[in-house]
Amino acid sequence: MSKLSLSSYKKSHVTEVAKSLLGKCLHTKVDGQITAGFITEVEAYSGRNDRGSHAHNGKRSKRTEVMYGPPGYAYVYLCYGIHRMFNVVCNDVDMADAVLVRAIQPAIGVEEMMKRRNLKKISKRLTCGPGIVCQALGIELTENGTPLNGGRVWIAEKPWRRKEGLDFKSNAIEASPRIGIDYAGEDANLPWRYTIRGNDWVSA
DNA sequence: GGCTTGATCCAG
DNA sequence: TGGATCAAGCCG
């Protein structure tokens, strides 16, 4: 039930927000259908001193503007002309920090997600991968700038109307380098990708 | 592994 | 105004 407040996305460092989102449940309500999944894989991007970020070195543009706004808003953009990526804007105005959600473990609306993904069997292909997450949850570019305390996209401790969350020990968080940012130079080596150790619902 | 695909960005 | 670029995913 209780949605994370917008201030939940403000912490000492964007990597702290990223880790805190593991195990939380990401929901969308599209066309009256609620779909949701536990966050199992995230990446942190810092607006300062991180060449992996679209906003590195204080770069501002129409696309990155959302990241410079207050925490708790969706940053959705298109990659490779095909795939949508869902990020959560973190920390204070002008910080331009963001957390990319790369994979979820299905929790609500599995049938609907399978329909959106055009799959007949349940597998990692349902929800693992940043573009796949958006497709499964029905997140479109129009969700860019959406506040995460509203009724369209939100994150909560537990799935809607359920008592059971996804429990794991805090020492089960695994850190590794982020994916697909070779252009970021030595910043590509930063271990800012976080996964839940032992959970199979992560990208390859 | 090779192709797809288009919004965004900056050089000219 | 245009071409290079890109936080992937698909098929085989």
Side-chain angles (χ1 to χ4, degrees), chain A residues 55-165:
Chain A
H56 74 83
N57 226 4
K59 185 159 116 176
R60 291 185 95 112
S61 68
K62 194 173 176 185
R63 182 173 66 154
T64 60
E65 199 56 35
V66 178
M67 284 200 281
Y68 288 90
Y73 287 73
Y75 170 43
V76 184
Y77 69 92
L78 199 64
C79 182
Y80 295 106
I82 313 171
H83 310 293
R84 296 172 295 283
M85 308 277 149
F86 173 77
N87 304 249
V88 179
V89 175
C90 301
N91 292 329
D92 288 316
V93 169
D94 288 337
M95 295 277 286
D97 289 349
V99 172
L100 169 69
V101 176
R102 291 188 54 89
I104 60 174
Q105 174 180 332
I108 296 178
V110 174
E111 295 288 320
E112 179 65 22
M113 289 194 270
M114 285 171 47
K115 198 173 0 170
R116 289 175 186 154
R117 294 277 303 121
N118 199 21
L119 293 175
K120 294 195 165 55
K121 290 182 181 176
I122 294 178
S123 73
K124 285 172 61 164
R125 306 187 65 133
L126 185 59
T127 55
C128 298
I132 288 175
V133 167
C134 287
Q135 202 181 346
L137 294 176
I139 296 173
E140 301 293 339
L141 290 178
T142 52
E143 301 303 329
N144 190 40
T146 300
L148 301 186
N149 61 354
R152 294 199 291 163
V153 187
W154 69 94
I155 301 176
E157 292 285 342
K158 298 169 184 176
W160 183 253
R161 289 183 169 167
R162 284 200 208 159
K163 292 180 180 171
E164 299 301 315

